[in-house]
Amino acid sequence: METSPGCDDGLMATTPYTRGLHELGDGVYAYLQPDGSWGWSNAGLVVDGEASLLVDTLFDLKLTGEMLDTIRAAVPAARAIGTVVNTHANGDHCWGNQLVRDAEIIGSKACAEEMGGLPPALLAALVASPPEGPQGELVRTMFGAFDFDGIEVVPPTTTFEGELSLRVGDTDVELIEVGPAHTQGDVIVHVPSQGVVYTGDILFNGGHPIVWAGPVANWIAACERILALDAPTVVPGHGPVCGPAEVTTQRDYFTYLTDEVRPRAEAGMTPIDAARDLDLGPYSGMSERERLVANVAAVFRDLGMPAPADAATLLQQMAAFGAGA
Ligand SMILES: [Zn+2]
């Protein structure tokens, strides 16, 4: 296990971005999976006494099993995870749930409803025989490193709407629903005593975020909500541990995007043409640029203008965009 020295002004600068479990404070940890691109998600752990709470499982059984082994070896009190929180319904945050099915699994009501939407077997079949051309390339980029065989979707056993206060031993943990934004039921997990917030995919640190649900205004509000918590340490859904500055960047990205897309939509461009035409300015260096296709489509929808909303069409367009077609 990698352990970072404690300090009062947050640990974002001292938590190395290496694969594995990192201690962020007293009983709070992040499990990181570089490089944070498609499917390489982060998880979290809160432990107090014999009580433990895991924030998210991973994309497949092998990765989740490795994470649980690492946790058991490093933190004996977390040998049997008592509570799991799924931040949202994307597979890279919940498809390892069957390995912690003895735990109470908590998610928002909207997350639970969304979770069965994409059967893992469908993804397994897609990876086994990807389509020809750019779409096949994108499928390999997004999912090629993972093994979707044997995954059974295990939905939350406890659901909530709005907010839910938990206690892990003597540690207060606040679950705050901020979706729909990235997905229908996004939840963030705040540990006030340690100044740590796990954002799920409300924060992608380093890469473009991707709007599957929207509206974008909700995502901006979600960033404001995180900032208002005043937590010095922020564990994003993907990318290195950071602080509030990266949340501000994420918020400003969406404001910039909205301001840039609106005149193009009003001028009659299609969403894909607007995505090609955009000047990303300060956000030009971000990875997973193909996600812009989904994000521009989301802004169009928010403006009441026609744009694709289904994942299949968006993936097709992202593949073409990534290939420069
Ligand atoms: Zn994710």
Side-chain angles (χ1 to χ4, degrees), residues 6-291:
C7 64
D8 290 330
D9 58 350
L11 292 146
M12 54 280 190
T14 55
T15 302
Y17 190 41
T18 55
R19 184 189 163 110
L21 193 66
H22 299 264
E23 192 168 11
L24 306 173
D26 192 9
V28 285
Y29 303 82
Y31 187 86
L32 306 178
Q33 294 196 104
D35 61 358
S37 60
W38 291 107
W40 295 106
S41 51
N42 297 328
L45 177 70
V46 181
V47 180
D48 189 343
E50 292 302 306
S52 58
L53 178 147
L54 182 69
V55 181
D56 283 339
T57 57
L58 305 179
F59 212 174
D60 68 20
L61 301 179
K62 180 169 172 282
L63 291 171
T64 302
E66 284 171 7
M67 172 173 76
L68 293 172
D69 286 347
T70 301
I71 287 173
R72 286 184 195 110
V75 190
R79 196 171 293 115
I81 300 288
T83 305
V84 175
V85 176
N86 290 131
T87 58
H88 62 289
N90 283 168
D92 55 333
H93 300 262
C94 64
W95 278 6
N97 278 7
Q98 77 201 70
L99 299 183
V100 286
R101 67 191 324 156
D102 290 339
E104 179 183 28
I105 302 177
I106 304 177
S108 68
K109 185 167 171 278
C111 165
E113 287 167 1
E114 194 176 18
M115 204 174 274
L118 175 65
L122 197 74
L123 219 48
L126 189 66
V127 172
S129 49
E132 296 290 318
Q135 269 184 275
E137 282 304 310
L138 185 62
V139 164
R140 273 186 283 271
T141 300
M142 290 174 73
F143 308 122
F146 309 100
D147 179 359
F148 302 114
D149 285 338
I151 295 174
E152 179 192 339
V153 174
V154 176
T157 52
T158 301
T159 61
F160 72 102
E161 292 175 272
E163 300 189 13
L164 183 65
S165 299
L166 302 175
R167 275 178 89 75
V168 179
D170 291 327
T171 301
D172 288 322
V173 176
E174 305 290 338
L175 310 188
I176 305 167
E177 184 179 22
V178 294
H182 168 63
T183 62
Q184 295 298 335
D186 305 293
V187 166
I188 61 172
V189 181
H190 182 215
V191 188
S193 65
Q194 298 298 316
V196 173
V197 58
Y198 301 93
T199 67
D201 284 359
I202 292 300
L203 180 61
F204 286 80
N205 183 11
H208 282 270
I210 182 162
V211 185
W212 293 118
V216 169
N218 270 8
W219 201 320
I220 291 171
C223 292
E224 297 284 3
R225 189 72 200 267
I226 294 168
L227 291 169
L229 297 174
D230 216 14
T233 304
V234 178
V235 181
H238 296 256
V241 174
C242 56
E246 285 75 7
V247 180
T248 302
T249 300
Q250 183 89 104
R251 178 197 66 190
D252 293 350
Y253 167 98
F254 280 119
T255 304
Y256 180 92
L257 189 74
T258 305
D259 290 347
E260 289 290 312
V261 169
R262 188 183 291 115
R264 289 172 169 84
E266 287 167 357
M269 285 188 192
T270 64
I272 188 82
D273 285 341
R276 289 198 185 97
D277 188 58
L278 277 182
D279 173 4
L280 279 179
Y283 309 103
S284 312
M286 294 166 80
S287 55
E288 289 83 52
R289 188 183 166 91
E290 66 276 10
R291 293 175 179 169

